[in-house]
């Protein structure tokens, strides 16, 4: 980036680095997916095509971020746990969250036709919100994943 008299505006950016030595966990959640699945004729209770598509999107995220140690998905949600020692993007939460959501969402659209080849084309764009949570111990990560698993039952 070229130096200019306007570069000072970067000083207004928040420092949102996630705590060191914690397991950064990004949880994605489909926005208005009840409506989305209805208008795209998903089979109930679990559409195998939709689950395959979600898994393919998660794989794309994991191929991009080699520091992810485990991912877990259910329904319209996916969680990605980064290893404690990751320094990806200086552990900047907003950068990591926005990229995980962007990679997942763009792959969802890009791969749609591979999983729904003869069905209805996309009627509306899918969207996923995301957040990052920092867990200090492996016990907290296990409890988090247990909570997400209990939520799908």
């Amino acid at each position: 980036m070229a130096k200019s008299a306007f570069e000072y505006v970067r000083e207004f950016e928040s420092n949102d680095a996630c705590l060191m030595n914690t397991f950064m966990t990004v949880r994605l959640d489909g926005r208005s997916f009840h409506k989305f699945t209805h208008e795209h004729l998903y089979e109930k209770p679990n559409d195998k095509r939709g689950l395959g598509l979600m898994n393919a999107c998660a794989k794309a995220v994991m191929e991009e971020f080699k520091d992810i140690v485990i991912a877990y998905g259910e329904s319209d949600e996916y969680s990605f746990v980064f290893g404690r020692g990751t320094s990806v993007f200086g552990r900047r939460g907003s950068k990591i969250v926005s990229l995980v959501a962007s990679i997942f969402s763009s792959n969802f659209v890009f791969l749609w036709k591979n999983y729904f080849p003869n069905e209805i084309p996309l009627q509306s764009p899918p969207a996923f919100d995301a957040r990052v949570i920092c867990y200090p111990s492996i016990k907290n990560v296990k409890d988090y994943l247990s909570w997400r698993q209990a939520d799908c039952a």
Side-chain angles (χ1 to χ4, degrees):
M1 183 179 282
K3 296 268 184 197
S4 74
F6 307 108
E7 193 167 336
Y8 78 94
V9 298
R10 292 194 71 201
E11 294 176 28
F12 291 98
E13 292 180 14
S14 297
N15 178 6
D16 66 342
C18 293
L19 263 136
M20 295 298 295
N21 204 31
T22 60
F23 296 94
M24 295 185 308
T25 303
V26 176
R27 185 170 71 242
L28 288 174
D29 191 15
R31 184 174 183 274
S32 300
F33 253 60
H34 180 76
K35 177 183 174 193
F36 181 88
T37 58
H38 178 73
E39 70 184 0
H40 290 92
L41 308 176
Y42 272 50
E43 297 171 8
K44 300 291 182 183
N46 291 307
D47 189 295
K48 289 184 187 211
R49 302 160 304 172
L51 294 174
L53 177 55
M54 293 284 288
N55 290 337
C57 296
K59 181 180 177 187
V61 169
M62 293 182 76
E63 287 172 349
E64 183 69 28
F65 292 100
K66 302 296 186 197
D67 292 353
I68 293 173
V69 294
I70 191 169
Y72 174 76
E74 58 98 3
S75 186
D76 66 338
E77 180 181 296
Y78 239 100
S79 296
F80 301 93
V81 180
F82 287 78
R84 266 191 156 142
T86 188
S87 60
V88 65
F89 297 115
R91 296 180 67 95
R92 291 189 342 250
S94 59
K95 180 96 171 187
I96 294 164
V97 163
S98 63
L99 281 170
V100 169
S102 176
I103 291 165
F104 196 95
S105 297
S106 60
N107 274 278
F108 195 96
V109 172
F110 185 72
L111 297 172
W112 175 265
K113 64 186 175 306
N114 297 349
Y115 292 86
F116 293 85
N118 301 316
E119 286 80 6
I120 192 166
L122 277 173
Q123 300 297 303
S124 60
F128 296 86
D129 64 66
R131 65 212 50 112
V132 64
I133 311 104
C134 296
Y135 293 109
S137 73
I138 195 72
K139 180 189 182 322
N140 296 135
V141 173
K142 288 178 183 178
D143 288 348
Y144 167 77
L145 293 170
S146 295
W147 171 56
R148 299 320 308 140
Q149 186 176 24
D151 190 53
C152 76

